[in-house]
Amino acid sequence: MYWHQVEFNASPVLFGYYNPPFGYIGLLSCAEFCIVELKEQKMKVFVTGASGFVGSAVVKELLSAGHQVIGLARSEQSAKIVSEAGAEVLMGSLEDLDTLKQGASEADGVIHAAFSHDFTDYLKASELDKTAINTMCQAMLGTAKPIVVTAGILGLEPIEGAITEESSTANSPRLSEATALALAEKGVHASVVRFPPSVHDKGDKGFVPFLIQLARNKGVAAYLEGNIRWSSVHRLDAARAFRLAVEKSAKGAVYNVIGDNGIALRDMALLIGEKLNVPIKSLKDEEIDSHFDWMGRFIRFDSYATNQKTKELLDWEPTHIGLLEDMEENYF
């Protein structure tokens, strides 16, 4: 979205809102005017998870685009990371509901990138996420402020073999998407960025490092037999999608932020086995839980996904290296 300063007979008379798909809104059609300055509208964005793996990249992306950032930080160490990045610090956590309301009230928009990564109690983490989203949106009802929440691809229903933007969240263990879309129906400018199982880059502490460490500990790189595929996206591509989504301020939009559409888990196991010099092994379904522990429920989901609609809606294209290349260069 852009604001044009407009002059009539060399005297400034108004600022006209310009929305590229629709043209000018609110300008006098009969007036003789000239556009003398074009400025992209800047925002103050409240970012949860601002010191985290994804959130820190989002903060840098927003600041580099000229926006201001309020970053939620739950510790002095996190606050230092947020401050040194150039953002304003708001101390608190997802459990500090008054702080979340404050951040959402003081900002022009919200990017909710925080999540409790206690995968041993995923249902509790999901409920905390839902409460945080509802709390922030209480401060946004009746406004045009955008909020972009994070959701996941895993567990969504495929359509003709692929998870698309229209795929159902009925079987998803994460509650954020359903929560955001329900709020959008009430008028909140809530949209959803869906992440694949792997958001990768140096410093990753997610599923892929867990698989690598598990192979080290057990002396075998295992995978579930069958054609199980995981989609992925580079952290910096994800950060750019977040920025574009909050700038777009859509109501009820869902974005599949996908780089690699689907990498076979067997190919990941082959690379891990090669790098660690351990054998690879195909496991039957009944062997999964004992081998992968808490990750067993996630490893079973095939997550081949498409992103064509997302690329068109956000004018977004992933440009960074894929997961296997990133693993090869940075994970061992």
Side-chain angles (χ1 to χ4, degrees), residues 30-284:
C30 63
E32 178 185 358
F33 61 86
C34 63
I35 298 169
V36 296
E37 187 176 5
L38 173 64
K39 296 189 294 183
E40 186 177 356
Q41 186 182 19
K42 302 306 178 185
M43 304 169 66
K44 177 180 282 189
V45 184
F46 177 45
V47 180
T48 68
S51 65
F53 178 64
V54 174
S56 60
V58 171
V59 169
K60 291 178 182 178
E61 174 70 26
L62 290 166
L63 292 172
S64 68
H67 299 296
Q68 295 176 285
V69 175
I70 305 171
L72 186 68
R74 61 181 179 179
S75 69
E76 291 301 323
Q77 181 181 4
S78 296
K80 183 179 179 182
I81 293 171
V82 173
S83 178
E84 289 181 348
E88 178 183 341
V89 176
L90 180 62
M91 296 299 298
S93 71
L94 293 185
E95 296 176 335
D96 299 326
L97 303 186
D98 288 341
T99 301
L100 295 180
K101 286 181 185 178
Q102 178 186 343
S105 297
E106 293 179 356
D108 302 313
V110 176
I111 291 178
H112 179 44
F115 189 74
S116 174
H117 289 91
D118 181 6
F119 293 114
T120 61
D121 196 351
Y122 198 80
L123 292 180
K124 180 180 178 181
S126 294
E127 285 292 343
L128 177 62
D129 194 31
K130 177 181 178 180
T131 300
I133 293 168
N134 280 321
T135 298
M136 288 184 285
C137 287
Q138 286 176 16
M140 304 171 74
L141 282 169
T143 76
K145 291 181 179 182
I147 179 171
V148 184
V149 309
T150 311
I153 291 291
L154 283 179
L156 303 191
E157 294 291 337
I159 298 173
E160 297 182 357
I163 297 168
T164 73
E165 289 84 354
E166 285 73 34
S167 290
S168 169
T169 63
N171 294 326
S172 174
R174 193 161 179 172
L175 305 175
S176 54
E177 179 169 334
T179 303
L181 295 182
L183 288 162
E185 291 181 359
K186 296 179 180 179
V188 178
H189 284 241
S191 60
V192 180
V193 162
R194 287 177 177 170
F195 279 165
S198 173
V199 180
H200 59 89
D201 194 2
K202 294 178 182 178
D204 182 5
K205 295 180 176 64
F207 288 150
V208 173
F210 177 85
L211 292 175
I212 293 171
Q213 189 59 46
L214 189 68
R216 283 196 180 101
N217 295 343
K218 299 205 171 190
V220 61
Y223 64 97
L224 176 61
E225 65 181 5
N227 188 28
I228 302 296
R229 299 156 296 176
W230 272 13
S231 46
S232 69
V233 69
H234 194 280
R235 176 174 68 136
L236 300 183
D237 287 323
R240 191 169 73 259
F242 259 131
R243 174 179 63 79
L244 293 170
V246 78
E247 289 173 348
K248 192 172 183 66
S249 187
K251 190 185 298 181
V254 174
Y255 307 112
N256 279 8
V257 178
I258 303 297
D260 295 307
N261 297 104
I263 298 171
L265 289 188
R266 182 178 185 276
D267 291 341
M268 293 171 60
L270 282 169
L271 179 58
I272 293 170
E274 175 188 336
K275 287 292 187 178
L276 299 183
N277 194 28
V278 298
I280 68 165
K281 183 180 180 181
S282 172
L283 301 180
K284 297 184 182 300

